Amino acid sequence: MNYYFILAALLGLVTCVGHFSYGIKHYLKPMLSASFDPVAKAVIHCVFHYISAFLVLSTLVLTVCGFEWVSYMQGISLVLFIALNFAIFAVWQIYIAFFSDIKSPFKHLFQWVLFLSISVFSLLGVYL
């Protein structure tokens, strides 16, 4: 059993719950009711659901690898891919928050903490 992967999966689950509750209420619904180009709105709606699929699948892969339901060598590339994605998500969100005009950007763009934590625990599980 790889406790780092399991911890990353638990953080992934927290992220999924937040995405499907807080994200829908505070991001998706207001965006869908906003007035801007319908094509751009449809694309962003799709992106929300692409991220939904990525979050769910990443959490499942981390769970499967954490409980060693697949061999370590079979899962290692997937976990590294997940870790890299979440690290890039965190860095990009920090960058955007830092340069945005949002008042208290790190209060509103807080997901980077979860993304970075998932990445770090995934990498710890690979290398320790």
Side-chain angles (χ1 to χ4, degrees), residues 27-99:
Y27 176 73
L28 184 62
K29 285 183 179 180
M31 187 273 309
L32 291 175
S33 63
S35 178
F36 63 96
D37 179 58
V39 173
K41 190 184 292 190
V43 170
I44 296 299
H45 192 183
C46 289
V47 169
F48 183 89
H49 293 296
Y50 300 156
I51 294 299
S52 300
F54 177 79
L55 291 174
V56 169
L57 290 174
S58 295
T59 300
L60 290 174
V61 167
L62 288 167
T63 301
V64 166
C65 291
F67 286 112
E68 296 176 352
W69 293 334
V70 296
S71 73
Y72 179 77
M73 290 308 294
Q74 288 176 320
I76 199 70
S77 296
L78 287 171
V79 172
L80 286 172
F81 176 77
I82 291 167
L84 179 61
N85 274 277
F86 278 108
I88 291 169
F89 291 170
V91 168
W92 194 245
Q93 192 169 41
I94 291 168
Y95 174 83
I96 288 173
F98 188 74
F99 290 106

Side-chain angles (χ1 to χ4, degrees), residues 93-124:
Q93 192 169 41
I94 291 168
Y95 174 83
I96 288 173
F98 188 74
F99 290 106
S100 73
D101 292 332
I102 300 171
K103 185 177 180 180
S104 303
F106 293 105
K107 176 184 174 192
H108 299 288
L109 300 175
F110 58 86
Q111 298 89 345
W112 68 270
V113 174
L114 290 167
F115 299 156
L116 187 60
S117 299
I118 292 167
S119 179
V120 167
F121 285 119
S122 297
L123 291 172
L124 287 171

